[in-house]
């Protein structure tokens, strides 16, 4: 561990997207910051990991809003890391393709093109399609932190915070199940069914991708490295393999510092916990928060865990370079991902497929393909107390069986799997849990339904002075959600309005 140095104005727990952004914000405003990361890599779900000496991306396969002047681009520019990153624009004419057994649809960039394609394909639904797209655009306009348009209150307020995605699809009079599937396809990116998902959250995800879908060259690792380097250049300190085990709070409910697993103590009047809120609150002593609050946080429903396949394929896959595929092995409308019906039925799950290495300039060797699906962690409950690499033969057998089921629909998209598959490795919710400590190995943190999303489940503010929460469980999921949550948390200290104006001016 080494000497953690100090004194510090702030400790940030966790070096995922949110923790690194929070640390940078504080360092940019002359705070002496220490980031503590329990894992041996920085980045949380931003990190790449090696399999067979080949890097795989964990949780940053593509992002929205990275075109010049778009939302993510502007935030990264303000943070001073945009020029260190290079990106690949995905296929404008179809960056995401939804593949069902008997139909498919390619989602293009830009509202005009998307609307034209939908109306041409589903003329009877034209009015509803237009209305839905208008609703999305109207909704995001309510959030200056997202649009970065001039505003008195940067936080904004939803047009109707109680609307679900299903409510809006209904209100628009959309009946054709295929149109409903297309317009709600991104529920598979935050893992919440349409009747539970907030329309505001959906609108952000939808809008950012329709603005412009991009992949970072070097994957999430490139983003992590840029943020760590920028932090260090501003005097911040980041340490790995240091797990925070307790937050020290005085009798007046003011933060004093943190204890680590190695027995170190770091004094700081501000602690930002950019980690699973349940873990964060478990670090607080009994007197710091009311039992009712602790109970509420403990009862937050975790999101669906991740099931991943990491393939190396020795074939030319350049045709997949600009496009991700959502493969739906069963008919629309059944939402097997959420019912987990596929698990019991012994059928393949719906999967997301992305050929990450095809986007890497100068890539040599077999191509990497990542296949993702969602799975409840309780299916792996009997191995909950085991660690990666030591879970036993029956776990490996189940993993192999699930892996084979995941790959079944991918074979139609990539027939080369039959002849040119070099290696296939699989991850389960337990794998994801072990390297980020996200409860249930959840890909997007807590279950982002109406009751829990956007600070409704747990706010970034706490009753402990100097203790704030951040991360994808606190606001919205995904890299943009995790990043903006750090602005909300740091806004409590630095002034949200000030940060907002600074981003706008950058
Ligand atoms: C398989 C997968 C694919 C994804 N694909 C995309 C995508 O293509 N686009 C997109 O926008 N989003 C994607 N996401 C979601 C996105 O990666 C996450 O929402 C986001 O990265 C979360 O960032 P975070 O900072 O909130 O949390 P995390 O990344 O979970 O970071 C939390 C960090 O805190 C550390 N930590 C926890 N407890 C402690 C402790 N006590 N002491 C010290 N350190 C601690 C953890 O080790 C971890 O590094 C994906 C996620 C997964 C898993």
């Amino acid at each position: 561990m080494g000497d953690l140095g100090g004194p510090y104005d702030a400790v940030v727990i966790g070096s995922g997207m949110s923790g690194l952004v929070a640390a940078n914000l504080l360092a940019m405003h002359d705070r002496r910051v220490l980031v503590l990361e329990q894992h041996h890599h920085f980045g949380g779900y931003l990190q790449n990991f090696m399999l067979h000496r080949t890097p795989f991306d964990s949780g940053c396969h593509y992002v929205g809003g990275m075109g010049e002047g778009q939302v993510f681009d502007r935030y990264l520019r303000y943070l001073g890391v945009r020029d260190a990153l290079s990106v690949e624009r995905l296929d404008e004419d179809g960056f995401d393709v939804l593949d069902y057994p008997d139909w498919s649809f390619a989602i293009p960039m830009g509202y005009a093109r998307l609307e034209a394609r939908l109306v041409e394909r589903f003329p009877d639904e034209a009015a509803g399609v237009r209305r839905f797209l208008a609703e999305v655009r109207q909704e995001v306009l309510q959030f200056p932190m997202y649009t970065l348009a001039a505003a008195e209150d940067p936080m904004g307020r939803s047009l109707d915070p109680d609307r679900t995605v299903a409510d809006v699809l209904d209100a628009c009079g959309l009946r054709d199940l295929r149109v409903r599937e297309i317009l709600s396809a991104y529920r598979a990116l935050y893992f919440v069914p349409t009747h539970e998902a907030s329309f505001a959250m959906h609108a952000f995800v939808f809008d950012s991708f329709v603005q412009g879908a991009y992949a970072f060259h070097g994957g999430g690792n490139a983003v992590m490295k840029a943020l760590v380097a920028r932090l260090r250049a501003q005097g911040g300190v980041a340490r790995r393999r240091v797990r925070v085990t307790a937050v020290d709070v005085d009798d007046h409910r003011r933060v004093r510092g943190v204890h680590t697993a190695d027995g170190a103590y770091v004094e700081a009047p501000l602690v930002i916990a950019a980690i699973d809120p349940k873990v964060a609150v478990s670090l607080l002593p009994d007197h710091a928060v009311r039992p009712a609050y602790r109970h509420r946080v403990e009862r937050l429903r975790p999101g669906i865990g991740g099931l991943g396949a990491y393939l190396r394929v020795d074939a030319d896959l350049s045709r997949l370079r600009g496009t991700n595929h959502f493969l739906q092995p069963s008919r629309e409308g059944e939402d097997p991902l959420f019912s987990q019906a596929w698990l019991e039925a012994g059928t393949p799950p719906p999967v997301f497929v992305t050929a990450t290495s095809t986007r890497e300039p100068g890539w040599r060797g077999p191509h990497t393909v990542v296949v993702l699906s969602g799975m409840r962690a309780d299916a792996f409950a009997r191995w909950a107390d085991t660690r990666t690499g030591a879970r036993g033969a029956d776990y490996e057998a189940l993993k192999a069986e699930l892996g084979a089921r995941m790959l079944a629909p991918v074979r139609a998209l990539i027939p080369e799997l039959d002849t040119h598959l070099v290696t296939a490795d699989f991850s389960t919710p337990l794998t994801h849990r072990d390297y980020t400590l996200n409860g249930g190995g959840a890909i997007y943190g807590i279950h982002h339904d109406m009751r829990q999303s956007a600070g409704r489940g747990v706010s970034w503010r706490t009753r402990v002075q100097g203790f704030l929460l951040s991360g994808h469980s606190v606001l919205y999921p995904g890299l943009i959600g995790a990043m903006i949550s750090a602005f909300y948390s740091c806004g409590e200290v630095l002034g949200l309005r000030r940060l907002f104006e600074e981003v706008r001016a950058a």
Side-chain angles (χ1 to χ4, degrees):
M1 173 187 75
D3 181 13
L4 294 175
Y8 293 101
D9 296 317
V11 170
V12 175
I13 312 174
S15 70
M17 181 70 185
S18 176
L20 290 177
V21 170
N24 269 279
L25 284 174
L26 293 165
M28 283 164 80
H29 294 88
D30 303 321
R31 305 302 200 272
R32 287 159 301 169
V33 191
L34 171 67
V35 178
L36 295 178
E37 167 56 51
Q38 58 95 25
H39 195 49
H40 54 267
H41 283 299
F42 291 124
Y45 282 146
L46 277 180
Q47 69 189 269
N48 290 6
F49 57 93
M50 300 296 282
L51 288 171
H52 315 285
R53 300 188 176 183
T54 306
F56 282 87
D57 195 295
S58 61
C60 177
H61 302 108
Y62 74 132
V63 293
M66 268 305 289
E68 197 167 339
Q70 295 177 353
V71 51
F72 205 8
D73 173 75
R74 287 181 72 181
Y75 272 97
L76 294 179
R77 218 166 270 292
Y78 165 69
L79 289 163
V81 295
R82 179 63 186 87
D83 291 342
L85 295 166
S86 98
V87 291
E88 175 98 355
R89 186 167 165 84
L90 301 191
D91 187 347
E92 291 193 12
D93 199 42
F95 59 94
D96 279 331
V97 171
L98 314 182
D99 284 318
Y100 280 85
D102 47 9
W103 64 277
S104 73
F105 186 87
I107 302 180
M109 286 182 213
Y111 281 97
R113 204 175 343 194
L114 175 59
E115 181 181 312
R117 186 167 296 175
L118 282 164
V119 168
E120 188 192 353
R121 184 86 178 268
F122 306 102
D124 294 347
E125 299 279 19
V129 163
R130 290 198 179 100
R131 187 163 158 207
F132 187 92
L133 297 180
E135 291 279 4
V136 169
R137 300 173 87 173
Q138 275 304 315
E139 184 62 34
V140 297
L141 281 179
Q142 310 309 311
F143 293 93
M145 284 298 288
Y146 176 79
T147 61
L148 297 173
E152 277 302 307
D153 171 16
M155 199 100 80
R157 190 176 156 69
S158 169
L159 284 170
D160 179 352
D162 297 321
R163 287 191 300 182
T164 65
V165 177
D167 289 338
V168 180
L169 289 168
D170 290 344
C172 294
L174 292 161
R175 293 282 163 264
D176 189 316
L177 281 180
R178 292 167 299 174
V179 182
R180 293 174 72 96
E181 285 292 299
I182 295 163
L183 293 175
S184 66
Y186 292 136
R187 68 193 187 284
L189 290 184
Y190 47 73
F191 277 5
V192 184
T194 52
H195 66 280
E196 290 182 11
S198 122
F199 181 69
M201 171 176 70
H202 184 74
F204 288 127
V205 176
F206 191 102
D207 182 81
S208 66
F209 283 119
V210 174
Q211 275 190 38
Y214 290 78
F216 290 104
H217 291 143
N221 232 42
V223 181
M224 176 274 283
K225 279 187 177 165
L227 286 168
V228 171
R230 182 81 184 132
L231 174 67
R232 288 180 167 153
Q234 297 178 102
V237 179
R239 292 291 170 81
R240 290 172 284 189
R241 300 179 197 269
V242 185
R243 181 165 174 169
V244 173
T245 48
V247 175
D248 185 23
V249 179
D250 73 13
D251 292 341
H252 302 285
R253 286 196 176 147
R254 285 180 307 224
V255 157
R256 278 194 299 223
V258 299
H259 295 275
T260 75
D262 306 40
Y265 179 75
V266 184
E267 220 176 300
L270 174 65
V271 172
I272 297 189
I275 61 180
D276 183 327
K278 288 189 201 186
V279 180
V281 170
S282 76
L283 302 176
L284 294 169
D286 284 346
H287 71 269
V289 285
R290 291 186 178 151
Y293 175 77
R294 197 179 287 280
H295 187 62
R296 189 158 58 80
V297 173
E298 277 165 7
R299 290 189 48 176
L300 286 171
R301 188 176 160 200
I304 297 181
L307 201 59
Y310 306 93
L311 315 178
R312 291 191 307 142
V313 185
D314 199 5
D316 178 10
L317 300 183
S318 51
R319 66 181 185 280
L320 298 172
R321 179 171 173 170
T323 306
N324 306 309
H325 288 258
F326 292 80
L327 306 184
Q328 303 281 354
S330 57
R331 288 181 182 278
E332 64 273 17
E334 295 167 9
D335 265 344
L337 182 60
F338 305 113
S339 67
Q340 302 268 284
W342 66 273
L343 203 54
E344 279 82 35
T347 51
V351 291
F352 168 81
V353 185
T354 184
T356 42
S357 66
T358 58
R359 297 161 190 164
E360 295 295 342
W363 182 265
R364 293 218 184 113
H367 274 301
T368 58
V369 178
V370 176
V371 183
L372 294 171
S373 190
M375 187 167 168
R376 283 194 321 253
D378 55 13
F380 286 95
R382 49 190 281 225
W383 295 283
D385 296 331
T386 61
R387 301 285 304 171
T388 297
R391 303 199 209 277
D394 45 357
Y395 169 82
E396 293 301 329
L398 175 58
K399 202 164 75 158
E401 189 230 310
L402 293 172
R405 275 157 71 184
M406 280 179 90
L407 296 195
V410 186
R411 291 181 191 282
L413 177 70
I414 311 177
E416 293 93 331
L417 290 193
D418 290 336
T419 46
H420 292 79
L421 181 61
V422 184
T423 51
D425 294 83
F426 303 99
S427 67
T428 73
L430 294 181
T431 325
H432 294 242
R433 177 203 67 178
D434 282 1
Y435 74 90
T436 61
L437 306 187
N438 276 289
I443 284 191
Y444 300 111
I446 57 169
H447 188 65
H448 286 273
D449 62 11
M450 295 297 289
R451 286 174 304 121
Q452 300 200 145
S453 203
R456 281 180 164 188
V458 60
S459 167
W460 53 96
R461 299 184 183 113
T462 74
R463 288 170 63 92
V464 179
Q465 197 182 321
F467 185 70
L468 295 160
L469 303 178
S470 188
H472 58 173
S473 289
V474 168
L475 189 65
Y476 288 133
L479 296 167
I480 299 180
M483 175 185 69
I484 295 183
S485 82
F487 278 77
Y488 277 36
S489 320
C490 293
E492 296 294 317
V493 184
L494 305 171
L496 185 62
R497 193 172 169 83
R498 171 186 177 194
L499 295 179
F500 171 69
E501 292 302 344
E502 288 176 4
V503 180
R504 279 173 38 78

